[in-house]
Amino acid sequence: MNTEHLSIGFVGLGLIGGSIAKTIRRVHPDCVLYGFDTDAEAGRSACREGVLNDFFDAVDNRFSVCDIIFLCAPVSVNISYLKVLKNIISDNCLLTDVGSVKAPVQAAVKELSMESRFIGGHPMVGSEKTGYANSNDRLLENAYYFLTPGENTLFHLSTRFSSFIQGLGALAVTLRPEQHDYITASISHVPHIIAAELVHLVRRADSGNGMLRQLAAGGFKDITRIASSSPVMWEQICMNNSANIRELLSDMVKDLTSVIEELDKGNGSYVNEYFKTAGEYRNSVPDASVGLFGKEHKLYIDIPDEPGTLATAASQLAFNNISIKNIGIVHNREFEEGVLEIILYDEESCNRAAQVLKERNYVVHIR
């Protein structure tokens, strides 16, 4: 696989497809990239930016020149495109997808007798924001990228594609499709459902004047951020990985039932152990890892409630060429230290901002 002169096609140019395309353009500038998306503006933007060499208005014979094709649409849509591509692609073309559910796609590939040249893929990255406009050429950096070749996938193809993915800055991990689906149900699919349910819980409890909506800031906004993800995408994921999701949610219902029972008994030691065990495991999770939820880089500072103090803090960062993604006053500080919340674009900017502000005697808390 000559990575410098490949022809690569993208069926779907959303957050993931767009980010992979931008990364390939940065790492392998001589590659020829083609794309299709039902959102024609995404394709026009990719061409204007020099990411794509050409944008197609349909999935047709023009994709026959591709050495690799990334399927970056929802799972069921990817399966429908497989049937179209079967009679289009060359014998040497590698097909891959980026969906977070693998078993249904793998089954379709096997049924279509396309397994030898198909390798399922899933970059462990994401955001509550979607679409090509939010894609970037660094999204894959140091992120796990699951690869799920089938039983009949050509071994040398798997080896070369793994090297290609690692060359983009990601960390390739090979799993069986069914193993992948259980893992992602545990660490992504069920947490998204729980986040949505937490929002529904507060929504149902809210009064007519929306008081809870005003008060539910700080920690609540953080732990439910992923509930803002695309409902279309999550419908696809839940329908295609329902067995694993159901098993894990059932286990969770049993656990919550136990908590209710122990609360009824007034069993404080149970509650203590419940939080202690959870805290110990959470603290063992690496903080520096790149995960599915797109970590935000925040710091908080203590400032007095006086005119100009917010602008002064922001100006200090501007003078040091540190760009601010968002800034605001935290009114509900139940889970956060500091009055002023500053969101930066990356870890380096966050650390630099903290240093600048500490040097000017601000009390800084880094999340």
Side-chain angles (χ1 to χ4, degrees):
M1 186 180 289
N2 183 355
T3 55
E4 295 302 325
H5 300 285
L6 292 173
S7 293
I8 302 175
F10 290 87
V11 178
L13 288 167
L15 174 71
I16 304 300
S19 294
I20 295 174
K22 288 179 178 180
T23 303
I24 292 174
R25 175 60 69 211
R26 174 175 57 81
V27 177
H28 304 295
D30 293 332
C31 283
V32 179
L33 305 186
Y34 303 109
F36 161 79
D37 197 288
T38 54
D39 178 7
E41 181 54 37
R44 287 191 289 266
S45 296
C47 288
R48 283 195 302 268
E49 295 170 7
V51 175
L52 293 184
N53 294 86
D54 204 353
F55 177 73
F56 303 148
D57 57 4
V59 178
D60 55 29
N61 287 327
R62 288 171 288 184
F63 279 95
S64 63
V65 299
C66 293
D67 300 297
I68 304 174
I69 294 178
F70 285 86
L71 297 171
C72 306
V75 176
S76 62
V77 179
N78 283 339
I79 291 173
S80 68
Y81 283 132
L82 279 172
K83 299 172 183 177
V84 176
L85 290 167
K86 177 177 171 62
N87 299 315
I88 292 174
I89 61 175
S90 71
D91 293 338
N92 297 319
C93 180
L94 165 66
L95 276 174
T96 186
D97 76 323
V98 300
S100 68
V101 184
K102 301 270 71 98
V105 178
Q106 195 67 45
V109 166
K110 192 170 185 177
E111 183 179 344
L112 292 166
S113 300
M114 301 172 72
E115 197 175 18
S116 65
R117 305 201 66 83
F118 180 86
I119 300 174
H122 177 206
M124 293 285 284
V125 294
S127 168
E128 72 278 13
K129 296 181 179 179
T130 60
Y132 180 82
N134 293 299
S135 64
N136 70 81
D137 66 355
R138 301 285 177 176
L139 193 66
L140 300 180
E141 276 192 353
N142 299 313
Y144 290 114
Y145 197 119
F146 288 154
L147 299 177
T148 59
E151 294 177 358
N152 298 313
T153 303
L154 296 173
F155 178 75
H156 74 275
L157 209 60
S158 296
T159 303
R160 291 178 182 177
F161 189 57
S162 179
S163 296
F164 177 76
I165 291 300
Q166 292 188 126
L168 300 180
L171 307 172
V173 178
T174 300
L175 298 171
R176 298 188 308 276
E178 61 275 12
Q179 183 184 18
H180 165 277
D181 288 356
Y182 186 81
I183 289 173
T184 52
S186 302
I187 64 175
S188 173
H189 304 166
V190 168
H192 273 83
I193 292 173
I194 294 169
E197 179 55 32
L198 286 172
V199 175
H200 285 303
L201 180 71
V202 173
R203 178 184 60 80
R204 289 191 295 266
D206 206 355
S207 57
N209 61 8
M211 180 178 290
L212 288 185
R213 183 186 307 142
Q214 296 300 317
L215 297 177
F220 181 82
K221 287 280 285 187
D222 282 342
I223 63 177
T224 59
R225 179 165 56 93
I226 56 176
S228 298
S229 300
S230 166
V232 175
M233 179 182 73
W234 281 101
E235 176 189 354
Q236 288 278 320
I237 289 171
C238 290
M239 292 301 97
N240 284 285
N241 202 20
S242 59
N244 285 317
I245 291 172
R246 186 186 188 284
E247 178 184 344
L248 290 160
L249 283 176
S250 296
D251 288 343
M252 184 178 182
V253 169
K254 292 176 184 176
D255 285 347
L256 290 175
T257 300
S258 295
V259 172
I260 293 171
E261 291 173 350
E262 298 304 324
L263 287 174
D264 288 342
K265 296 175 185 176
N267 190 349
S269 61
Y270 177 92
V271 175
N272 184 294
E273 184 65 21
Y274 181 81
F275 281 99
K276 178 185 175 184
T277 305
E280 288 174 349
Y281 186 82
R282 182 196 179 276
N283 292 338
S284 73
V285 176
D287 186 59
S289 297
V290 177
L292 276 167
F293 302 146
K295 178 181 177 181
E296 284 195 328
H297 303 280
K298 297 182 178 181
L299 56 82
Y300 299 85
I301 62 175
D302 294 321
I303 58 173
D305 184 13
E306 298 174 357
T309 53
L310 189 153
T312 301
S315 298
Q316 295 295 340
L317 300 185
F319 291 151
N320 286 273
N321 295 315
I322 300 172
S323 297
I324 296 175
K325 187 176 183 180
N326 206 346
I327 189 170
I329 298 295
V330 179
H331 296 290
N332 180 346
R333 292 190 290 281
E334 182 181 5
F335 300 105
E336 308 290 359
E337 295 177 292
V339 176
L340 180 65
E341 176 188 67
I342 303 175
I343 304 177
L344 290 306
Y345 282 93
D346 50 49
E347 186 172 5
E348 180 185 356
S349 297
C350 191
N351 291 334
R352 286 179 54 219
Q355 181 180 353
V356 167
L357 293 170
K358 285 179 180 177
E359 289 173 353
R360 286 152 183 80
N361 297 319
Y362 286 94
V363 177
V364 180
H365 312 276
I366 300 180
R367 175 181 166 180

